[in-house]
Structure formats: structure tokens, C-alpha cells
Amino acid sequence: MPSLNAPPGAIVVIDYGMGNLRSVWQALVRVADGRQVLVSSDPAMVSAAERVVFPGQGAMPDCMREIDQRGLRTAVLDAARNKPFLGICIGQQMLFEHSEEGNVPGLGVLAGTVRRFPPSRMFDAAGDTLKVPHMGWNEVRHARQHALWNGIADGSRFYFVHSYFVDPLDSDCAVGTTAYGIPFTSAVARDNIFAIQCHPEKSAVDGLALLANFVAWKP
């Protein structure tokens, strides 16, 4: 996973020590259409990228701490304002104002809160208890049209691993919903930002299609 330079057209995957970066990088390379895909923790590299992918795994407090300790906050915020930007999993959650996980502030790019699945609602249609974290394949319903849904059928199944979900203040930014005990927002978009709770890099053909759409996206 080279990270020496950011040539014109480069896609940079932000490395802050908390994501499964190799699988994201490999999936992007498959659909990059000749563009170079780099993994970097260098703020200057992020700033020089044409488009940015912001993945993440682990606990929200740890992720926010690592972003700041590595001096990446300003570069992430600038990228989220100025270039095609894809948030994945915790990379989606960190865009919001606050998380119930650790009671920590996020980056505040999008208004809203990251909430834990409520134990009192974690039952399936048969009344059986649903496990948290929500882990495995589940449907994503299109709340509205978006370029990143091109070629992906409404209700396609994607791979999830999470205990928390985003609750946007502005419902218009929701572009995907999923049901797990409760309906929750699983994908959001605004201007040049698209962020999704699931892992497209682990979601087979439809996940690769979403990543290919991101590579081609001109917001």
C-alpha cells in the first residue's frame, strides 16, 4: 500500500490506525479505472488527493483520539468540504456532532447524534432477541436517488458490523435505510459527501459497484 506521493487523480484512503485498510485499498484498486489508490496518514497527502475515503473500525473515542494525535482533523474537515468524500462505518459516524459511545464529540460535519441500538427494541418479527453488534448481511433501502446507487437495486444486501448508528438531524441527508429491530439511517449524503454504515469492501458485487460509482462520481 504505497503512500509516497499523491499524483493527479489519486484516491487517498485515510490511515489513522483504526481501520481494515488493506481490504478497503484492495477493493478500490479493483475499481479505480487506472487511478492510483494510496493509503496515507500524512495530512498533506490527504489534502493533495482528488478524492478521499475515510474508513474506520473500533470504538468512536479511540478513533477521534487517533485523528487528533496524528494531526489529521484539519485535513479531514477540508476534504469533507472540498472533494468527493466517502465515509465508511466509523468513518460515517465521526462526521456527526456527538456519539453516545463514550459520550464524545465527533467532527461536526453533519448535524445529528450517533446512537446505540436500544436493548428494549432488539427483537425480530418472531419476538426473538437480536444480538448487538448488528453483524452480517442486511438490506439497504434507497431513501432517495443518488449517483452512488447507480446499478445497485433497492434492497440490495450489504455487510454490517456495528453497535451504533447515525441519527441525522436533517432527514433529507438520509439516502439509505436498514431495519434491525428498528429502522435506522444506514447511508447519508450531502453535496460532495457520501457515507455509509456498512462495509462496501466486504459486500461483494454491490459493494464494488458502490465503490466504482464513488470513483466516477462528479458531485
Side-chain angles (χ1 to χ4, degrees), residues 95-172:
L95 295 176
F96 283 79
E97 294 171 306
H98 188 268
S99 177
E100 293 180 350
E101 184 176 20
N103 191 30
V104 296
L107 294 169
V109 175
L110 300 172
T113 301
V114 180
R115 304 193 186 280
R116 184 172 175 83
F117 283 112
S120 63
R121 304 277 303 277
M122 290 295 99
F123 300 96
D124 63 17
D128 295 325
T129 300
L130 295 169
K131 294 181 179 179
V132 177
H134 170 214
M135 183 180 299
W137 294 84
N138 205 343
E139 293 182 353
V140 176
R141 293 287 177 184
H142 300 171
R144 62 177 173 85
Q145 292 183 337
H146 192 277
L148 266 68
W149 293 142
N150 290 346
I152 300 171
D154 186 21
S156 293
R157 294 171 68 82
F158 288 80
Y159 189 80
F160 290 83
V161 183
H162 64 121
S163 300
Y164 295 79
F165 61 93
V166 300
D167 181 12
L169 189 63
D170 179 6
S171 61
D172 288 344

Side-chain angles (χ1 to χ4, degrees), residues 16 28 42 55 60 73 85-86 100 102 107 126 133 168 174 182 184 188 196-197 202 209 217:
Y16 56 98
L28 283 165
D42 182 356
M60 178 87 159
R73 179 183 287 257
F85 186 101
L86 175 63
E100 293 180 350
L107 294 169
I182 59 171
F184 67 93
V188 296
I196 192 162
Q197 180 62 60
K202 299 179 181 179
W217 183 31

Side-chain angles (χ1 to χ4, degrees), residues 11-214:
I11 303 164
V12 170
V13 180
I14 300 175
D15 177 9
Y16 56 98
M18 298 295 296
N20 184 4
L21 302 179
R22 179 165 290 277
S23 62
V24 175
W25 176 77
Q26 288 176 330
L28 283 165
V29 167
R30 290 183 63 180
V31 301
D33 193 28
R35 295 172 175 84
Q36 190 164 357
V37 182
L38 307 169
V39 176
S40 182
S41 59
D42 182 356
M45 188 79 67
V46 176
S47 297
E50 179 184 273
R51 54 193 68 220
V52 167
V53 179
F54 188 39
Q57 291 179 334
M60 178 87 159
D62 296 335
C63 292
M64 290 302 304
R65 183 188 65 246
E66 291 299 320
I67 288 290
D68 284 332
Q69 287 186 348
R70 296 165 189 256
L72 282 162
R73 179 183 287 257
T74 298
V76 172
L77 290 173
D78 286 347
R81 284 191 291 262
N82 297 312
K83 58 190 69 181
F85 186 101
L86 175 63
I88 297 173
C89 194
I90 298 286
Q92 180 201 52
Q93 295 179 13
M94 284 192 290
L95 295 176
F96 283 79
E97 294 171 306
H98 188 268
S99 177
E100 293 180 350
E101 184 176 20
N103 191 30
V104 296
L107 294 169
V109 175
L110 300 172
T113 301
V114 180
R115 304 193 186 280
R116 184 172 175 83
F117 283 112
S120 63
R121 304 277 303 277
M122 290 295 99
F123 300 96
D124 63 17
D128 295 325
T129 300
L130 295 169
K131 294 181 179 179
V132 177
H134 170 214
M135 183 180 299
W137 294 84
N138 205 343
E139 293 182 353
V140 176
R141 293 287 177 184
H142 300 171
R144 62 177 173 85
Q145 292 183 337
H146 192 277
L148 266 68
W149 293 142
N150 290 346
I152 300 171
D154 186 21
S156 293
R157 294 171 68 82
F158 288 80
Y159 189 80
F160 290 83
V161 183
H162 64 121
S163 300
Y164 295 79
F165 61 93
V166 300
D167 181 12
L169 189 63
D170 179 6
S171 61
D172 288 344
C173 81
V175 293
T177 62
T178 298
Y180 190 70
I182 59 171
F184 67 93
T185 297
S186 52
V188 296
R190 190 188 70 189
D191 302 329
N192 59 300
I193 296 170
F194 187 98
I196 192 162
Q197 180 62 60
C198 68
H199 289 271
E201 77 279 7
K202 299 179 181 179
S203 297
V205 173
D206 287 319
L208 288 176
L210 187 144
L211 294 175
N213 288 338
F214 173 70

